Amino acid sequence: MIAELLPTFIASFVTLFIVIDPILVTPIFASLTKDELPRERLRIALMAALYSILILVFFGFAGNALLHHLGVSLDAFRAAMGIILFIMGFRMFFDPDSETQAKTPGPKASARDNIAFFPLAIPMLAGPGAIATIMLVMGPDTEMVEKGAAMVAVVIVLAIGVLMMAFASRIGDVLGRTGMNAITRLLGMLLMALSTQYVFDGIRVGILEQISAA
């Protein structure tokens, strides 16, 4: 059973790790919580992860039903989200600084009462890319045990994010801007490859369904 679920878990983990990109979130989190004590930083990171899990669980189990209600096929959604994820990966690879700016909240965000929900959970951790990814991974044809494996991947990715945010200041000092940009470019290249496969699969399955229906 575990061996059968391992490919689903690995694919979900890799894709979600790239899309959520806790490495990119880390320096932003550090700037938002620079005046907080270490214990408060950990509390904020944990709450952000909890909010993100709830958001992704909702869209993972109910998102495809919403698509069906709107009359949008999963294959069309897969192709469209693949294009969006490709754009994200392209920006991460060729201009990592612009991706950091895209995820950086406005100047008043640090003064908000609950930065764990906004901007940390939305749009940084459980943003459009992560929502699209979990909806694709947990499609209507996916077995319940495979959906469980995908949710385990979500929890592990966010747990890694919590650890990185808890030690945000140290990680940023060690890697520096050059190291952070190098890792972001590598993740962007992998994301472009994965998103291209999403587009190919969506178009291929959609065309095959049209041919078989004719």
Side-chain angles (χ1 to χ4, degrees):
M1 177 64 72
I2 296 178
E4 295 176 356
L5 296 177
L6 191 59
T8 300
F9 169 79
I10 293 176
S12 302
F13 175 83
V14 171
T15 307
L16 286 167
F17 187 86
I18 294 172
V19 172
I20 294 175
D21 196 358
I23 297 173
L24 182 62
V25 173
T26 298
I28 301 174
F29 176 85
S31 66
L32 287 175
T33 59
K34 60 183 178 181
D35 297 326
E36 303 291 347
L37 296 174
R39 179 177 298 180
E40 182 64 14
R41 282 187 176 185
L42 179 59
R43 187 193 70 82
I44 294 173
L46 288 172
M47 290 303 299
L50 178 60
Y51 288 137
S52 301
I53 290 173
L54 293 176
I55 293 168
L56 295 178
V57 166
F58 171 79
F59 281 100
F61 286 98
N64 288 286
L66 180 61
L67 283 182
H68 179 73
H69 179 73
L70 295 174
V72 178
S73 70
L74 181 61
D75 299 316
F77 182 80
R78 180 181 287 111
M81 290 303 102
I83 294 173
I84 292 175
L85 295 177
F86 183 88
I87 294 173
M88 291 177 59
F90 183 90
R91 187 167 55 191
M92 290 168 64
F93 183 80
F94 288 101
D95 193 2
D97 288 334
S98 70
E99 181 66 11
T100 301
Q101 294 171 2
K103 284 194 172 186
T104 303
K108 295 183 179 180
S110 59
R112 296 182 184 273
D113 293 334
N114 190 2
I115 63 173
F117 183 78
F118 178 85
L120 290 178
I122 295 178
M124 291 169 62
L125 294 175
I131 292 173
T133 299
I134 201 64
M135 288 176 62
L136 292 175
V137 172
M138 299 176 61
D141 297 330
T142 305
E143 298 291 337
M144 186 58 65
V145 289
E146 294 178 332
K147 292 182 178 181
M151 293 313 306
V152 171
V154 168
V155 172
I156 293 178
V157 170
L158 291 175
I160 294 173
V162 169
L163 290 175
M164 296 189 69
M165 286 186 286
F167 297 97
S169 59
R170 297 181 182 179
I171 293 175
D173 293 339
V174 171
L175 292 179
R177 183 174 181 178
T178 301
M180 298 290 288
N181 284 348
I183 294 175
T184 298
R185 282 193 168 95
L186 177 60
L187 295 176
M189 181 177 63
L190 294 174
L191 182 57
M192 283 191 288
L194 289 169
S195 60
T196 301
Q197 188 64 51
Y198 280 143
V199 174
F200 285 168
D201 291 343
I203 295 175
R204 176 178 56 82
V205 176
I207 291 176
L208 290 176
E209 288 183 351
Q210 292 296 325
I211 293 175
S212 61

